[in-house]
Amino acid sequence: MAHAWPDNRFTALVGCAHPIVQAPMAGAVGPAMAQAVIAAGGLGSLPCGMITPEKALADAATVGGGPLNMNFFCHSLPEDSDPTAWRAMLAAYDADYAPDYSAPPPPVRAPFGEAMCAVVEQVRPAAVSFHFGLPDERLVGRVRASGAKVIGNATSVAEAVWLAERGCDAIIAQGLEAGGHAGWFLPAHPAARLGIFALIPQVADAVQVPVIAAGGIGDARGIAAAMMLGASAVQMGTAYLHSPESLISAAHRKALASEAARRTVATNLFTGGNARAIPNRLIDDLGPVNGAVPAYPDGAAVIAPLRRAAEAKGDPAFTPLWSGQSAPLCRSMPAAELTRTLAGEALALLNGDAR
Amino acid sequence: MAHAWPDNRFTALVGCAHPIVQAPMAGAVGPAMAQAVIAAGGLGSLPCGMITPEKALADAATVGGGPLNMNFFCHSLPEDSDPTAWRAMLAAYDADYAPDYSAPPPPVRAPFGEAMCAVVEQVRPAAVSFHFGLPDERLVGRVRASGAKVIGNATSVAEAVWLAERGCDAIIAQGLEAGGHAGWFLPAHPAARLGIFALIPQVADAVQVPVIAAGGIGDARGIAAAMMLGASAVQMGTAYLHSPESLISAAHRKALASEAARRTVATNLFTGGNARAIPNRLIDDLGPVNGAVPAYPDGAAVIAPLRRAAEAKGDPAFTPLWSGQSAPLCRSMPAAELTRTLAGEALALLNGDAR
């Protein structure tokens, strides 16, 4: 590579060549994608929020040759969520889809705890990123002692400052453009969420550690722009969803390439959490946000039978078609080739080659 | 200036030195600000959506020495808006503020028509920008025949394509971060609005004419980033609201510098239109969006007596404290100095001087 990145604070921190983090998209990313990104000089990520510690350990063991990021959730489990009203609303679809309510529920999204911390201590990844805040101080200390850099996720300046005060080594500035779940954890009005364009420089001004921009970055123009705004790296999800390594369904892949991907919405219908998705039948029928859905993550279990029944027919009517606002900018390309291409194009833009 | 801008398509189109458009903020901008921006090499704008043709003509006559942009609204007036429910809700505040309901209502925001078109033909500005779509084809033709470049405002790719098909010479890509009124005019779900980071490259890919990025751009980092994303220019509003030339109240100026400016929301409470503002008492009490508010622009007349009564006490409880998401990034500086400073800093960033 003829050019150098204008900011090497993040690449030096975790030891990768390019300031590109492949987003840990739970359910859509396995070790093959992480390995491909690492091989191309980016930071590959393994999403561990929806798998068992055994699976996380086994997956991580297959990845090597460069820095790995392991990602975990740190939500609090709701104590008193009541699924009754939401079940009743979804019953309107039973005649069409005949869901099997006796099937076992999907595994609950579990917050990071002792067992996963032991996995981190065994794997010793270069980085560990947390979504929805941080685990307790003792667990963070053990992660740090394992040698991993600790990365937090902020959707506001207040969250970024909170994470920096607790010793995070780098902070993701997640704009509202991001696909999947918004990682917010401090009280805030959803209407006040920031676009990444305003968020990056405000976070960069508020904290001393490197900032990783996330949300709405689909191509090299976005990487170059994020660095102009003060980011030291980017985290890209939707771009990698398009790659052959992504584990999404054919219906999800088709939706990403459809006109509907131009009008993603923040919805709570699939899990109870605020997450960006491409509109499908459920969102079109009920609107993107409904007060009857039990709090995250309990909403996921309620819709599971209906989702399974529809998916068995290849119908994504109740499937969360996660996507950021960048879908129309993305190209379908193997993850390693995508990483190298994005890096080369962004370096050219940042160095004025394309002018 | 030692450096050249990487893209001169917009500056060449309207004849200014810097690709910086001062946003035409109705009620906050008079000819002094437009003149200062023009003198510094930017495109100064006169907002004409809330003034009479006589005032527009008189204001324009005081501005010279470079390219001027005149801005107009193209909304349809609602035919059957019913203020009853909204009046009833606002009555809860009557005891506190004792509004005078017999005072004459404020002038209605009028869409661009014959009289204003005649003003354009007399003033012959370098550019005319329209908000909320375009006027009818015949009026657009007369504006173009006067010599003015026609600028449309898009909040989506679909709107950008619509404007390009109707011959606009440049298109503003307005992200949801923008302060004041969103210029949308084609049917769309408010939840599907795009952040500017994802919007700029998608619009740049969809149209051939120069793109002007608007929303969330508060400093030189934003200018450089917008150009990386494919914009040929930027339109900045909140940055100029902070300048001494801005006509906003002391209370508005104070709000822009407050912590509340970090959590602006899109609200319909002040006019019926979707517009971004700093939360005040009314928003805190009712939430940012209420279905009882009559359609734009009729909502403005309903709240006017209460607003006037509160403002007479210096209380902005019912005043629209318009602001984009960039307020915390902005510096208070005279408009000419701000324009020159932003241009110099952005050029340095784009040319790697600051690295």
Side-chain angles (χ1 to χ4, degrees):
Chain A
M1 199 68 64
H3 294 302
W5 293 98
D7 182 324
N8 68 356
R9 295 201 300 152
F10 182 75
T11 51
L13 183 74
V14 297
C16 56
H18 303 308
I20 299 175
V21 182
Q22 157 254 316
M25 299 171 284
V29 175
M33 187 189 290
Q35 180 65 68
V37 172
I38 290 169
L43 181 63
S45 301
L46 270 185
C48 304
M50 285 171 62
I51 58 177
T52 62
E54 294 70 30
K55 171 89 170 127
L57 190 60
D59 281 358
T62 71
V63 180
L68 171 68
N69 173 44
M70 298 180 80
N71 175 260
F72 302 94
F73 298 159
C74 306
H75 54 286
S76 309
L77 292 171
E79 284 173 19
D80 56 351
S81 75
D82 178 359
T84 317
W86 186 225
R87 271 192 217 286
M89 292 188 79
L90 294 178
Y93 299 102
D94 285 358
D96 282 9
Y97 292 93
D100 175 8
Y101 286 108
S102 69
V108 171
R109 288 163 165 85
F112 184 76
E114 287 291 334
M116 281 297 196
C117 196
V119 171
V120 168
E121 289 168 326
Q122 194 169 341
V123 173
R124 300 176 59 90
V128 166
S129 64
F130 292 108
H131 211 56
F132 308 120
L134 290 176
D136 70 51
E137 204 178 328
R138 195 182 44 84
L139 288 172
V140 174
R142 283 173 57 188
V143 169
R144 186 172 289 116
S146 80
K149 300 303 176 187
V150 176
I151 303 174
N153 185 92
T155 65
S156 66
V157 172
E159 289 182 347
V161 170
W162 189 97
L163 292 166
E165 285 171 353
R166 280 153 188 82
C168 282
D169 299 295
I171 292 173
I172 298 165
Q174 186 193 30
L176 59 79
E177 299 89 344
H181 285 81
W184 65 15
F185 57 93
L186 294 181
H189 196 294
R193 276 202 69 194
L194 291 175
I196 191 180
F197 202 99
L199 183 61
I200 298 170
Q202 292 182 43
V203 170
D205 288 347
V207 303
Q208 300 295 317
V209 297
V211 174
I212 306 161
I217 306 171
D219 61 20
R221 291 174 290 188
I223 300 173
M227 297 193 90
M228 284 292 170
L229 288 166
S232 300
V234 297
Q235 177 166 286
M236 299 175 77
T238 307
Y240 286 101
L241 267 193
H242 288 71
S243 72
E245 287 91 344
S246 126
L247 307 174
I248 58 175
S249 66
H252 194 163
R253 212 172 278 276
K254 192 175 161 194
L256 284 169
S258 74
E259 193 61 25
R262 292 194 181 274
R263 42 187 177 84
T264 62
V265 289
T267 176
N268 74 334
L269 301 185
F270 302 108
T271 65
N274 180 299
R276 184 168 292 280
I278 298 168
N280 58 2
R281 179 175 175 186
L282 187 66
I283 292 175
D284 288 342
D285 285 358
L286 303 184
V289 177
N290 196 291
V293 186
Y296 181 88
D298 292 355
V302 184
I303 204 171
L306 201 48
R307 176 180 169 180
R308 248 188 319 245
E311 286 178 353
K313 303 182 192 179
D315 179 350
F318 308 98
T319 304
L321 302 171
W322 304 137
S323 173
Q325 293 188 338
S326 61
L329 299 169
C330 301
R331 291 166 291 189
S332 180
M333 204 180 267
E337 188 188 344
L338 177 63
T339 306
R340 287 191 196 98
T341 303
L342 290 170
E345 291 176 352
L347 280 167
L349 270 175
L350 286 164
N351 287 282
D353 294 0
R355 289 174 204 159
Chain B
M1 199 71 66
H3 295 302
W5 292 98
D7 182 325
N8 67 356
R9 296 202 298 152
F10 182 75
T11 51
L13 183 75
V14 299
C16 56
H18 302 307
I20 299 173
V21 182
Q22 158 255 316
M25 299 171 284
V29 176
M33 187 189 292
Q35 180 64 68
V37 172
I38 291 167
L43 181 62
S45 302
L46 269 184
C48 304
M50 284 170 62
I51 57 177
T52 62
E54 294 69 29
K55 169 89 170 128
L57 191 59
D59 281 357
T62 70
V63 180
L68 171 68
N69 174 45
M70 297 179 79
N71 175 262
F72 302 95
F73 298 159
C74 304
H75 55 286
S76 310
L77 291 171
E79 285 174 18
D80 56 352
S81 75
D82 179 359
T84 317
W86 186 227
R87 272 193 215 284
M89 291 187 77
L90 293 180
Y93 298 102
D94 285 359
D96 282 8
Y97 292 92
D100 175 8
Y101 286 107
S102 69
V108 171
R109 288 163 165 84
F112 185 75
E114 288 292 333
M116 280 296 195
C117 196
V119 172
V120 167
E121 289 168 326
Q122 193 168 340
V123 174
R124 302 176 60 89
V128 166
S129 64
F130 292 108
H131 211 58
F132 309 118
L134 290 175
D136 72 50
E137 204 177 329
R138 193 182 45 82
L139 288 172
V140 174
R142 282 173 57 189
V143 169
R144 188 172 288 115
S146 80
K149 301 302 176 186
V150 177
I151 303 174
N153 185 91
T155 64
S156 66
V157 172
E159 288 181 348
V161 169
W162 189 96
L163 292 166
E165 284 172 355
R166 280 154 188 81
C168 282
D169 299 296
I171 292 173
I172 298 164
Q174 187 193 29
L176 61 77
E177 298 88 344
H181 285 83
W184 65 14
F185 56 94
L186 294 180
H189 196 295
R193 277 203 68 194
L194 291 175
I196 193 181
F197 202 99
L199 183 62
I200 298 170
Q202 292 182 46
V203 169
D205 288 348
V207 304
Q208 300 295 314
V209 296
V211 174
I212 305 161
I217 306 171
D219 60 21
R221 290 174 290 187
I223 300 173
M227 299 194 89
M228 283 291 168
L229 288 165
S232 300
V234 297
Q235 179 168 285
M236 299 174 77
T238 307
Y240 286 101
L241 267 193
H242 288 71
S243 72
E245 288 90 345
S246 128
L247 307 175
I248 57 175
S249 65
H252 194 162
R253 211 173 278 274
K254 192 175 160 196
L256 283 169
S258 74
E259 193 59 26
R262 293 195 179 272
R263 44 189 176 82
T264 62
V265 289
T267 177
N268 75 334
L269 301 185
F270 302 108
T271 65
N274 180 298
R276 184 168 294 279
I278 298 168
N280 57 3
R281 178 175 176 185
L282 188 66
I283 292 175
D284 287 342
D285 284 358
L286 304 184
V289 177
N290 196 292
V293 186
Y296 181 87
D298 292 356
V302 184
I303 204 171
L306 202 47
R307 175 180 169 181
R308 246 186 321 243
E311 286 177 352
K313 302 185 193 179
D315 178 351
F318 308 97
T319 304
L321 302 170
W322 304 136
S323 172
Q325 293 188 340
S326 62
L329 299 169
C330 301
R331 290 166 290 188
S332 179
M333 204 180 266
E337 188 188 344
L338 176 63
T339 306
R340 287 191 196 101
T341 302
L342 290 170
E345 291 177 350
L347 280 166
L349 269 176
L350 286 163
N351 287 281
D353 293 0
R355 291 172 201 162

PDB file of all heavy atoms in Angstrom, chain B residues 145-173:
ATOM      1  N   ALA B 145     -35.385  31.702 -16.421  1.00  0.00           N
ATOM      2  CA  ALA B 145     -35.200  32.709 -17.474  1.00  0.00           C
ATOM      3  C   ALA B 145     -34.602  34.003 -16.919  1.00  0.00           C
ATOM      4  O   ALA B 145     -33.952  34.763 -17.637  1.00  0.00           O
ATOM      5  CB  ALA B 145     -36.536  32.987 -18.170  1.00  0.00           C
ATOM      6  N   SER B 146     -34.808  34.244 -15.607  1.00  0.00           N
ATOM      7  CA  SER B 146     -34.236  35.459 -14.999  1.00  0.00           C
ATOM      8  C   SER B 146     -32.723  35.362 -14.873  1.00  0.00           C
ATOM      9  O   SER B 146     -32.058  36.348 -14.568  1.00  0.00           O
ATOM     10  CB  SER B 146     -34.852  35.687 -13.613  1.00  0.00           C
ATOM     11  OG  SER B 146     -34.218  34.851 -12.634  1.00  0.00           O
ATOM     12  N   GLY B 147     -32.201  34.146 -15.055  1.00  0.00           N
ATOM     13  CA  GLY B 147     -30.753  33.946 -14.939  1.00  0.00           C
ATOM     14  C   GLY B 147     -30.349  33.210 -13.678  1.00  0.00           C
ATOM     15  O   GLY B 147     -29.178  32.867 -13.507  1.00  0.00           O
ATOM     16  N   ALA B 148     -31.319  32.976 -12.799  1.00  0.00           N
ATOM     17  CA  ALA B 148     -30.994  32.307 -11.530  1.00  0.00           C
ATOM     18  C   ALA B 148     -30.820  30.811 -11.736  1.00  0.00           C
ATOM     19  O   ALA B 148     -31.548  30.196 -12.520  1.00  0.00           O
ATOM     20  CB  ALA B 148     -32.100  32.554 -10.507  1.00  0.00           C
ATOM     21  N   LYS B 149     -29.848  30.220 -11.042  1.00  0.00           N
ATOM     22  CA  LYS B 149     -29.755  28.771 -10.956  1.00  0.00           C
ATOM     23  C   LYS B 149     -30.815  28.299  -9.965  1.00  0.00           C
ATOM     24  O   LYS B 149     -31.034  28.943  -8.928  1.00  0.00           O
ATOM     25  CB  LYS B 149     -28.368  28.332 -10.473  1.00  0.00           C
ATOM     26  CG  LYS B 149     -27.237  28.807 -11.374  1.00  0.00           C
ATOM     27  CD  LYS B 149     -27.397  28.331 -12.813  1.00  0.00           C
ATOM     28  CE  LYS B 149     -26.312  28.897 -13.716  1.00  0.00           C
ATOM     29  NZ  LYS B 149     -26.548  28.563 -15.139  1.00  0.00           N
ATOM     30  N   VAL B 150     -31.467  27.193 -10.307  1.00  0.00           N
ATOM     31  CA  VAL B 150     -32.558  26.687  -9.476  1.00  0.00           C
ATOM     32  C   VAL B 150     -32.057  25.545  -8.588  1.00  0.00           C
ATOM     33  O   VAL B 150     -31.497  24.570  -9.085  1.00  0.00           O
ATOM     34  CB  VAL B 150     -33.727  26.200 -10.355  1.00  0.00           C
ATOM     35  CG1 VAL B 150     -34.839  25.605  -9.487  1.00  0.00           C
ATOM     36  CG2 VAL B 150     -34.257  27.352 -11.202  1.00  0.00           C
ATOM     37  N   ILE B 151     -32.251  25.706  -7.284  1.00  0.00           N
ATOM     38  CA  ILE B 151     -31.788  24.716  -6.303  1.00  0.00           C
ATOM     39  C   ILE B 151     -32.987  24.110  -5.584  1.00  0.00           C
ATOM     40  O   ILE B 151     -33.822  24.835  -5.045  1.00  0.00           O
ATOM     41  CB  ILE B 151     -30.841  25.370  -5.270  1.00  0.00           C
ATOM     42  CG1 ILE B 151     -29.643  26.025  -5.972  1.00  0.00           C
ATOM     43  CG2 ILE B 151     -30.372  24.340  -4.239  1.00  0.00           C
ATOM     44  CD1 ILE B 151     -28.729  26.822  -5.047  1.00  0.00           C
ATOM     45  N   GLY B 152     -33.073  22.784  -5.598  1.00  0.00           N
ATOM     46  CA  GLY B 152     -34.148  22.087  -4.895  1.00  0.00           C
ATOM     47  C   GLY B 152     -33.623  21.428  -3.638  1.00  0.00           C
ATOM     48  O   GLY B 152     -32.413  21.264  -3.464  1.00  0.00           O
ATOM     49  N   ASN B 153     -34.532  21.045  -2.754  1.00  0.00           N
ATOM     50  CA  ASN B 153     -34.157  20.412  -1.479  1.00  0.00           C
ATOM     51  C   ASN B 153     -34.743  19.010  -1.388  1.00  0.00           C
ATOM     52  O   ASN B 153     -35.949  18.820  -1.458  1.00  0.00           O
ATOM     53  CB  ASN B 153     -34.688  21.269  -0.326  1.00  0.00           C
ATOM     54  CG  ASN B 153     -34.238  20.753   1.039  1.00  0.00           C
ATOM     55  OD1 ASN B 153     -33.194  21.175   1.544  1.00  0.00           O
ATOM     56  ND2 ASN B 153     -34.995  19.846   1.641  1.00  0.00           N
ATOM     57  N   ALA B 154     -33.864  18.026  -1.205  1.00  0.00           N
ATOM     58  CA  ALA B 154     -34.289  16.625  -1.129  1.00  0.00           C
ATOM     59  C   ALA B 154     -33.963  16.038   0.239  1.00  0.00           C
ATOM     60  O   ALA B 154     -32.868  16.240   0.758  1.00  0.00           O
ATOM     61  CB  ALA B 154     -33.580  15.815  -2.202  1.00  0.00           C
ATOM     62  N   THR B 155     -34.914  15.290   0.796  1.00  0.00           N
ATOM     63  CA  THR B 155     -34.643  14.558   2.042  1.00  0.00           C
ATOM     64  C   THR B 155     -34.502  13.058   1.777  1.00  0.00           C
ATOM     65  O   THR B 155     -34.322  12.282   2.704  1.00  0.00           O
ATOM     66  CB  THR B 155     -35.777  14.774   3.071  1.00  0.00           C
ATOM     67  OG1 THR B 155     -36.986  14.212   2.554  1.00  0.00           O
ATOM     68  CG2 THR B 155     -35.993  16.251   3.356  1.00  0.00           C
ATOM     69  N   SER B 156     -34.614  12.674   0.498  1.00  0.00           N
ATOM     70  CA  SER B 156     -34.505  11.257   0.128  1.00  0.00           C
ATOM     71  C   SER B 156     -33.984  11.165  -1.300  1.00  0.00           C
ATOM     72  O   SER B 156     -33.996  12.159  -2.038  1.00  0.00           O
ATOM     73  CB  SER B 156     -35.875  10.577   0.206  1.00  0.00           C
ATOM     74  OG  SER B 156     -36.747  11.131  -0.775  1.00  0.00           O
ATOM     75  N   VAL B 157     -33.546   9.980  -1.689  1.00  0.00           N
ATOM     76  CA  VAL B 157     -33.095   9.771  -3.058  1.00  0.00           C
ATOM     77  C   VAL B 157     -34.253  10.008  -4.034  1.00  0.00           C
ATOM     78  O   VAL B 157     -34.079  10.616  -5.090  1.00  0.00           O
ATOM     79  CB  VAL B 157     -32.510   8.353  -3.219  1.00  0.00           C
ATOM     80  CG1 VAL B 157     -32.206   8.048  -4.675  1.00  0.00           C
ATOM     81  CG2 VAL B 157     -31.250   8.205  -2.364  1.00  0.00           C
ATOM     82  N   ALA B 158     -35.448   9.548  -3.654  1.00  0.00           N
ATOM     83  CA  ALA B 158     -36.607   9.723  -4.533  1.00  0.00           C
ATOM     84  C   ALA B 158     -36.872  11.205  -4.796  1.00  0.00           C
ATOM     85  O   ALA B 158     -37.156  11.609  -5.937  1.00  0.00           O
ATOM     86  CB  ALA B 158     -37.842   9.061  -3.912  1.00  0.00           C
ATOM     87  N   GLU B 159     -36.780  12.031  -3.758  1.00  0.00           N
ATOM     88  CA  GLU B 159     -36.992  13.468  -3.959  1.00  0.00           C
ATOM     89  C   GLU B 159     -35.885  14.080  -4.816  1.00  0.00           C
ATOM     90  O   GLU B 159     -36.139  14.950  -5.656  1.00  0.00           O
ATOM     91  CB  GLU B 159     -37.084  14.185  -2.607  1.00  0.00           C
ATOM     92  CG  GLU B 159     -38.396  13.888  -1.871  1.00  0.00           C
ATOM     93  CD  GLU B 159     -38.532  14.600  -0.534  1.00  0.00           C
ATOM     94  OE1 GLU B 159     -37.527  15.166  -0.040  1.00  0.00           O
ATOM     95  OE2 GLU B 159     -39.634  14.576   0.040  1.00  0.00           O
ATOM     96  N   ALA B 160     -34.651  13.614  -4.630  1.00  0.00           N
ATOM     97  CA  ALA B 160     -33.537  14.137  -5.428  1.00  0.00           C
ATOM     98  C   ALA B 160     -33.755  13.829  -6.915  1.00  0.00           C
ATOM     99  O   ALA B 160     -33.542  14.689  -7.778  1.00  0.00           O
ATOM    100  CB  ALA B 160     -32.214  13.549  -4.941  1.00  0.00           C
ATOM    101  N   VAL B 161     -34.174  12.620  -7.198  1.00  0.00           N
ATOM    102  CA  VAL B 161     -34.414  12.231  -8.585  1.00  0.00           C
ATOM    103  C   VAL B 161     -35.560  13.057  -9.168  1.00  0.00           C
ATOM    104  O   VAL B 161     -35.498  13.543 -10.299  1.00  0.00           O
ATOM    105  CB  VAL B 161     -34.706  10.715  -8.669  1.00  0.00           C
ATOM    106  CG1 VAL B 161     -35.215  10.323 -10.042  1.00  0.00           C
ATOM    107  CG2 VAL B 161     -33.446   9.918  -8.295  1.00  0.00           C
ATOM    108  N   TRP B 162     -36.606  13.259  -8.387  1.00  0.00           N
ATOM    109  CA  TRP B 162     -37.764  14.072  -8.801  1.00  0.00           C
ATOM    110  C   TRP B 162     -37.303  15.496  -9.153  1.00  0.00           C
ATOM    111  O   TRP B 162     -37.687  16.053 -10.179  1.00  0.00           O
ATOM    112  CB  TRP B 162     -38.771  14.092  -7.646  1.00  0.00           C
ATOM    113  CG  TRP B 162     -40.122  14.686  -7.901  1.00  0.00           C
ATOM    114  CD1 TRP B 162     -41.265  14.025  -8.233  1.00  0.00           C
ATOM    115  CD2 TRP B 162     -40.492  16.085  -7.799  1.00  0.00           C
ATOM    116  NE1 TRP B 162     -42.315  14.911  -8.337  1.00  0.00           N
ATOM    117  CE2 TRP B 162     -41.872  16.175  -8.084  1.00  0.00           C
ATOM    118  CE3 TRP B 162     -39.791  17.256  -7.494  1.00  0.00           C
ATOM    119  CZ2 TRP B 162     -42.566  17.388  -8.074  1.00  0.00           C
ATOM    120  CZ3 TRP B 162     -40.481  18.466  -7.493  1.00  0.00           C
ATOM    121  CH2 TRP B 162     -41.853  18.529  -7.782  1.00  0.00           C
ATOM    122  N   LEU B 163     -36.464  16.072  -8.311  1.00  0.00           N
ATOM    123  CA  LEU B 163     -35.977  17.440  -8.547  1.00  0.00           C
ATOM    124  C   LEU B 163     -35.071  17.500  -9.775  1.00  0.00           C
ATOM    125  O   LEU B 163     -35.150  18.446 -10.572  1.00  0.00           O
ATOM    126  CB  LEU B 163     -35.231  17.952  -7.313  1.00  0.00           C
ATOM    127  CG  LEU B 163     -36.093  18.188  -6.062  1.00  0.00           C
ATOM    128  CD1 LEU B 163     -35.207  18.347  -4.825  1.00  0.00           C
ATOM    129  CD2 LEU B 163     -36.995  19.416  -6.232  1.00  0.00           C
ATOM    130  N   ALA B 164     -34.220  16.495  -9.925  1.00  0.00           N
ATOM    131  CA  ALA B 164     -33.304  16.474 -11.076  1.00  0.00           C
ATOM    132  C   ALA B 164     -34.100  16.351 -12.374  1.00  0.00           C
ATOM    133  O   ALA B 164     -33.779  17.003 -13.378  1.00  0.00           O
ATOM    134  CB  ALA B 164     -32.316  15.319 -10.933  1.00  0.00           C
ATOM    135  N   GLU B 165     -35.141  15.531 -12.350  1.00  0.00           N
ATOM    136  CA  GLU B 165     -35.970  15.350 -13.552  1.00  0.00           C
ATOM    137  C   GLU B 165     -36.653  16.646 -13.958  1.00  0.00           C
ATOM    138  O   GLU B 165     -37.010  16.841 -15.117  1.00  0.00           O
ATOM    139  CB  GLU B 165     -37.028  14.265 -13.296  1.00  0.00           C
ATOM    140  CG  GLU B 165     -36.453  12.857 -13.324  1.00  0.00           C
ATOM    141  CD  GLU B 165     -37.479  11.807 -12.878  1.00  0.00           C
ATOM    142  OE1 GLU B 165     -38.600  12.196 -12.452  1.00  0.00           O
ATOM    143  OE2 GLU B 165     -37.144  10.619 -12.940  1.00  0.00           O
ATOM    144  N   ARG B 166     -36.859  17.536 -12.979  1.00  0.00           N
ATOM    145  CA  ARG B 166     -37.513  18.810 -13.275  1.00  0.00           C
ATOM    146  C   ARG B 166     -36.498  19.931 -13.524  1.00  0.00           C
ATOM    147  O   ARG B 166     -36.846  21.113 -13.514  1.00  0.00           O
ATOM    148  CB  ARG B 166     -38.487  19.151 -12.151  1.00  0.00           C
ATOM    149  CG  ARG B 166     -39.795  18.378 -12.324  1.00  0.00           C
ATOM    150  CD  ARG B 166     -40.558  18.148 -11.039  1.00  0.00           C
ATOM    151  NE  ARG B 166     -41.682  17.244 -11.289  1.00  0.00           N
ATOM    152  CZ  ARG B 166     -41.575  15.905 -11.365  1.00  0.00           C
ATOM    153  NH1 ARG B 166     -40.394  15.331 -11.214  1.00  0.00           N
ATOM    154  NH2 ARG B 166     -42.642  15.168 -11.607  1.00  0.00           N
ATOM    155  N   GLY B 167     -35.244  19.538 -13.720  1.00  0.00           N
ATOM    156  CA  GLY B 167     -34.252  20.497 -14.206  1.00  0.00           C
ATOM    157  C   GLY B 167     -33.518  21.306 -13.164  1.00  0.00           C
ATOM    158  O   GLY B 167     -32.892  22.318 -13.514  1.00  0.00           O
ATOM    159  N   CYS B 168     -33.556  20.906 -11.902  1.00  0.00           N
ATOM    160  CA  CYS B 168     -32.801  21.674 -10.898  1.00  0.00           C
ATOM    161  C   CYS B 168     -31.314  21.667 -11.250  1.00  0.00           C
ATOM    162  O   CYS B 168     -30.771  20.664 -11.699  1.00  0.00           O
ATOM    163  CB  CYS B 168     -33.006  21.085  -9.506  1.00  0.00           C
ATOM    164  SG  CYS B 168     -34.595  21.541  -8.795  1.00  0.00           S
ATOM    165  N   ASP B 169     -30.662  22.789 -11.010  1.00  0.00           N
ATOM    166  CA  ASP B 169     -29.242  22.931 -11.336  1.00  0.00           C
ATOM    167  C   ASP B 169     -28.335  22.411 -10.230  1.00  0.00           C
ATOM    168  O   ASP B 169     -27.151  22.135 -10.461  1.00  0.00           O
ATOM    169  CB  ASP B 169     -28.917  24.407 -11.585  1.00  0.00           C
ATOM    170  CG  ASP B 169     -29.718  24.964 -12.747  1.00  0.00           C
ATOM    171  OD1 ASP B 169     -29.515  24.487 -13.871  1.00  0.00           O
ATOM    172  OD2 ASP B 169     -30.570  25.855 -12.519  1.00  0.00           O
ATOM    173  N   ALA B 170     -28.873  22.310  -9.037  1.00  0.00           N
ATOM    174  CA  ALA B 170     -28.143  21.747  -7.897  1.00  0.00           C
ATOM    175  C   ALA B 170     -29.193  21.252  -6.918  1.00  0.00           C
ATOM    176  O   ALA B 170     -30.331  21.734  -6.923  1.00  0.00           O
ATOM    177  CB  ALA B 170     -27.244  22.789  -7.244  1.00  0.00           C
ATOM    178  N   ILE B 171     -28.804  20.277  -6.108  1.00  0.00           N
ATOM    179  CA  ILE B 171     -29.777  19.683  -5.189  1.00  0.00           C
ATOM    180  C   ILE B 171     -29.188  19.599  -3.792  1.00  0.00           C
ATOM    181  O   ILE B 171     -28.087  19.074  -3.592  1.00  0.00           O
ATOM    182  CB  ILE B 171     -30.207  18.283  -5.689  1.00  0.00           C
ATOM    183  CG1 ILE B 171     -31.017  18.449  -6.983  1.00  0.00           C
ATOM    184  CG2 ILE B 171     -31.028  17.543  -4.625  1.00  0.00           C
ATOM    185  CD1 ILE B 171     -31.367  17.143  -7.663  1.00  0.00           C
ATOM    186  N   ILE B 172     -29.945  20.158  -2.839  1.00  0.00           N
ATOM    187  CA  ILE B 172     -29.570  20.050  -1.434  1.00  0.00           C
ATOM    188  C   ILE B 172     -29.974  18.667  -0.935  1.00  0.00           C
ATOM    189  O   ILE B 172     -31.117  18.246  -1.127  1.00  0.00           O
ATOM    190  CB  ILE B 172     -30.296  21.132  -0.599  1.00  0.00           C
ATOM    191  CG1 ILE B 172     -29.883  22.531  -1.063  1.00  0.00           C
ATOM    192  CG2 ILE B 172     -30.037  20.936   0.896  1.00  0.00           C
ATOM    193  CD1 ILE B 172     -30.821  23.643  -0.570  1.00  0.00           C
ATOM    194  N   ALA B 173     -29.037  17.940  -0.332  1.00  0.00           N
ATOM    195  CA  ALA B 173     -29.357  16.678   0.349  1.00  0.00           C
ATOM    196  C   ALA B 173     -29.461  17.004   1.830  1.00  0.00           C
ATOM    197  O   ALA B 173     -28.456  17.222   2.496  1.00  0.00           O
ATOM    198  CB  ALA B 173     -28.267  15.645   0.096  1.00  0.00           C
TER     199      ALA B 173
END
